[in-house]
Amino acid sequence: MIGADAIIKCLEAEGISTVFGYPGVAICPFFNSILDSDIKTVLIRTEQNAAHAASGLARVTGKVGVCAVTSGPGATNLITGVATAFADSIPLVCITGQVDSSLLGSDVFQEADITGAVESFVKYSYLVKKVSDIPRIMKEAFYIANTGRKGPVLIDIPIDVQNAELKKFAYPESVSMRTYKPTVKGNMVQIKKVIHELEDCKRPIICAGGGVLLADAKEELQEFAMKHDIPVVSTMMGIGVMPTEHPLYYGMVGNNGKPCANRAMNEADLIIMVGARVADRAISQPDLITENKVLIHIDVDPAEIGKNLGTTVPLVGDVHVIFENLLQYEIPGDYTAWNEELAEKKAAYVDRRHFNPDFVNPCRFVQTLSSKMNDDAIYVADVGQNQLWSADNYVMKHGRFLTTGGFGTMGYSIPAAIGVRAALPDTQIVAVCGDGSFQMSMMELATIRQHNIP
């Protein structure tokens, strides 16, 4: 087989069923080889949207999304989609074609140093120099993308490497990388400190970010909160960790969040920050929020803990595993008075916003739309004012709320919804966007029509 065939064999070994992309000269061997497999290719209309579509698939399956584009402008067009996935910690493998190895650095037609260009917003990148390295690199790329703090990995493959003959193909069964050992299990000493702090506090609250959903820890977090009657708020990326109408859930925090959620954060004496970066949209004044409070920060990425605010108890590890450990402990704390106080404030809140009766009330529109959607439906929000209306008014039942919170990339919702549909053919999916973001991705209506995507 040739190198391009080997790449396809690797994708098959990883269980990849769909690749989003756009062909061109430098990636043609790959797209020729994929025709001989059962892997479906979805032709998007601009390369950025290949990454968005792969992101939508990855977010609802927990698997790695795959996109493939050509060199030069194809690769540089992909950059915004890669950066979007990196900011939201979405696992992708992005394959780019490259000019002939012997011509690298010669400024030949459609040459671009894509590995250098994406260096600051990928988990890792590869420039494949030998065809025999393809199986190892592909195995490592999928492992890196979907472990630890998830994110995109880019593989740049020159056309001569794709066409080179590979005499023996063997896909590695495991990965052992000396320099990459993500922490999964939380330190038991730190876990016991968390329990001790919960025993001593009177007004605890859990602030859940997108990391809870990425770690598939939603059920464990809900079980922990309900077992101990601990109120929950979320960041925008954490919307969906609990149903909107759950009595322990007080909504999204931040500049555009619910007043009762922000007030609960302000008045708590202990905050469990879990799977959240503590960025400006969720907490604009970190020092003010954490003053005279115990802060427990749980995250799989040690670099995030203490980055934006001081932490009392740092706890590094996979959120799913950590909550499984926390559930093994009994906590004698009684938070009844705290819950009653928050419930009263939530019930007393009056929405004093006024809307012009001559126009559609966007908040009521989102509430009505989401309440009429199926229980397991997926709502994909774009970026702009429509994102804020969606996040503030979406009625979560048992589905998913997807948006790009870290990078705020307009034009995200339609291609992301295409990716969701590829993974979930029978689920109700609604993409909501403003006129600006629609015009940034309306070319994908052609993709939807071509592939008969309902």
Side-chain angles (χ1 to χ4, degrees):
M1 66 174 70
I2 60 172
D5 299 330
I7 300 168
I8 305 307
K9 289 288 184 185
C10 296
L11 295 178
E12 290 174 337
E14 292 291 342
I16 299 302
S17 58
T18 306
V19 172
F20 305 91
Y22 204 107
V25 171
I27 195 67
C28 260
F30 169 88
F31 275 100
N32 286 338
S33 292
I34 209 169
L35 292 173
D36 296 325
S37 74
D38 292 329
I39 298 173
K40 181 183 179 183
T41 55
V42 176
L43 174 70
I44 44 71
R45 266 47 182 188
T46 187
E47 288 87 353
Q48 172 179 319
N49 292 338
H52 293 333
S55 170
L57 181 149
R59 292 178 71 172
V60 296
T61 61
K63 298 178 181 178
V64 177
V66 179
C67 54
V69 302
T70 195
S71 64
T76 56
N77 279 350
L78 187 69
I79 283 178
T80 300
V82 175
T84 301
F86 182 77
D88 293 333
S89 303
I90 310 302
L92 301 184
V93 166
C94 307
I95 301 169
T96 55
Q98 184 55 276
V99 301
D100 194 286
S101 300
S102 64
L103 300 175
L104 285 170
S106 303
D107 292 333
V108 295
F109 179 67
Q110 291 194 335
E111 179 190 357
D113 177 13
I114 191 62
T115 55
V118 301
E119 185 177 358
S120 63
F121 41 79
V122 290
K123 278 194 76 176
Y124 201 73
S125 64
Y126 293 90
L127 173 59
V128 185
K129 297 178 180 178
K130 295 189 298 184
V131 67
S132 58
D133 288 339
I134 286 175
R136 173 186 61 81
I137 286 174
M138 293 292 289
K139 184 69 175 182
E140 289 180 1
F142 276 89
Y143 176 70
I144 293 169
N146 212 24
T147 53
R149 180 175 181 170
K150 301 178 183 185
V153 175
L154 184 132
I155 306 174
D156 197 31
I157 311 181
I159 188 170
D160 58 307
V161 176
Q162 295 177 56
N163 282 321
E165 185 180 349
L166 180 65
K167 292 187 170 65
K168 182 181 179 183
F169 175 85
Y171 196 58
E173 293 183 2
S174 60
V175 174
S176 180
M177 302 177 70
R178 189 173 65 254
T179 56
Y180 181 69
K181 304 284 184 183
T183 300
V184 176
K185 296 180 180 179
N187 184 289
M188 290 309 298
V189 173
Q190 297 300 92
I191 288 174
K192 288 176 181 177
K193 284 182 181 178
V194 172
I195 301 300
H196 176 71
E197 295 291 355
L198 282 167
E199 289 173 353
D200 290 346
C201 74
K202 301 294 183 186
R203 304 156 77 87
I205 194 162
I206 297 170
C207 181
V212 175
L213 300 171
L214 287 166
D216 194 24
K218 179 175 72 172
E219 292 182 5
E220 286 73 16
L221 181 141
Q222 289 181 11
E223 185 180 348
F224 180 77
M226 290 187 289
K227 179 179 178 181
H228 303 296
D229 284 330
I230 300 175
V232 178
V233 295
S234 72
T235 65
M236 182 183 288
M237 295 301 290
I239 290 174
V241 294
M242 295 189 91
T244 301
E245 303 302 328
H246 196 287
L248 285 174
Y249 183 64
Y250 288 88
M252 182 180 79
V253 295
N255 296 338
N256 302 102
K258 296 291 186 186
C260 51
N262 287 328
R263 194 159 181 176
M265 284 281 282
N266 286 331
E267 297 179 5
D269 62 4
L270 179 144
I271 299 173
I272 300 177
M273 191 74 65
V274 51
R277 293 179 305 167
V278 198
D280 59 321
R281 292 186 89 188
I283 299 179
S284 58
Q285 296 175 289
D287 293 337
L288 200 62
I289 290 288
T290 57
E291 190 175 355
N292 301 318
K293 290 180 176 64
V294 171
L295 177 65
I296 297 163
H297 197 169
I298 304 171
D299 204 288
V300 74
D301 184 0
E304 288 298 341
I305 297 178
K307 185 172 80 175
N308 292 326
L309 47 73
T311 305
T312 313
V313 182
L315 182 49
V316 179
D318 183 275
V319 175
H320 190 283
V321 175
I322 286 174
F323 271 100
E324 284 183 340
N325 288 329
L326 288 171
L327 281 165
Q328 296 174 13
Y329 292 87
E330 296 298 325
I331 301 171
D334 182 4
Y335 314 126
T336 305
W338 170 231
N339 277 289
E340 289 175 352
E341 180 184 337
L342 289 180
E344 286 176 13
K345 288 175 179 174
K346 184 178 182 180
Y349 171 69
V350 177
D351 188 348
R352 302 188 187 280
R353 293 173 294 185
H354 295 286
F355 294 90
N356 189 327
D358 295 336
F359 299 94
V360 173
N361 177 331
C363 300
R364 197 160 293 146
F365 167 77
V366 172
Q367 291 167 356
T368 304
L369 170 66
S370 54
S371 66
K372 290 183 178 295
M373 287 164 60
N374 295 344
D375 277 10
D376 64 345
I378 295 174
Y379 185 115
V380 189
D382 219 291
V383 174
Q385 197 65 40
N386 64 90
Q387 182 188 49
L388 304 180
W389 287 324
S390 293
D392 192 34
N393 297 280
Y394 173 69
V395 180
M396 168 61 68
K397 288 174 274 189
H398 301 288
R400 288 288 301 273
F401 177 91
L402 303 182
T403 192
T404 167
F407 216 53
T409 307
M410 289 179 67
Y412 171 83
S413 63
I414 293 175
I418 290 173
V420 174
R421 170 60 70 209
L424 304 175
D426 301 316
T427 302
Q428 187 182 67
I429 303 160
V430 178
V432 177
C433 50
D435 58 319
S437 51
F438 170 69
Q439 290 176 87
M440 288 186 180
S441 58
M442 67 183 190
M443 75 289 287
E444 299 307 339
L445 294 181
T447 304
I448 289 168
R449 179 67 189 88
Q450 177 187 353
H451 293 277
N452 297 314
I453 298 170

